[in-house]
Amino acid sequence: MADDPQGLSDEERAELEQLRAEKAKRDAAARAQSERAELERLKREQRRVDERAAADERTRKIRERNAKLMEPDDDLRMPVGQKIVLLAVLALVVIIVIAMNLGR
C-alpha cells in the first residue's frame, strides 16, 4: 500500500471494491444458506405440530365414540356397550351352567 497521505490509488481502489464485492457475495451466500436451514427447521416443526394435532383429533374422536358406547345418555338409558358386555357375561354363565349339568 502507499505510504502517502493522499489515500488510495486507482489500482488500490479497484482492488478494495473487488474485495468488498467478493465479501458481499460470501455474506449473501451465507445468509441464503442460513435462511434455507431456518426454512427447513420451521417446516419440520410445522409437520410435527400438524401430526400432533391430527393425533389429538383421532384421540378425541375415539374418546367420543367410546363415551357413546359406554356412558349413559341424558335419559340415563343403558349404553349399547354395557348391554353387549352384560349379554356376553349372561351367555358365559348359561354355558357354564349347562356344562356343569351335562357333566353329571
Side-chain angles (χ1 to χ4, degrees), residues 46-62:
Q46 185 63 43
R47 279 193 299 269
R48 281 195 307 271
V49 167
D50 291 345
E51 289 169 0
R52 189 176 309 128
D56 290 347
E57 180 66 20
R58 282 192 303 272
T59 302
R60 186 188 61 75
K61 286 181 180 180
I62 289 170

Side-chain angles (χ1 to χ4, degrees), residues 15-79:
E15 183 181 2
L16 178 61
E17 290 302 318
Q18 179 186 359
L19 292 174
R20 284 180 178 166
E22 289 174 6
K23 182 179 185 289
K25 282 183 183 179
R26 286 193 309 270
D27 289 348
R31 195 169 36 256
Q33 183 178 4
S34 173
E35 288 174 351
R36 278 192 295 274
E38 181 182 10
L39 176 64
E40 289 303 315
R41 181 183 57 78
L42 291 173
K43 282 182 178 180
R44 284 192 306 271
E45 183 179 324
Q46 185 63 43
R47 279 193 299 269
R48 281 195 307 271
V49 167
D50 291 345
E51 289 169 0
R52 189 176 309 128
D56 290 347
E57 180 66 20
R58 282 192 303 272
T59 302
R60 186 188 61 75
K61 286 181 180 180
I62 289 170
R63 286 185 179 169
E64 284 179 5
R65 187 183 69 219
N66 290 342
K68 282 182 182 179
L69 284 175
M70 297 305 286
E71 294 178 6
D73 60 8
D74 292 337
D75 296 334
L76 296 179
R77 290 190 209 136
M78 186 179 293

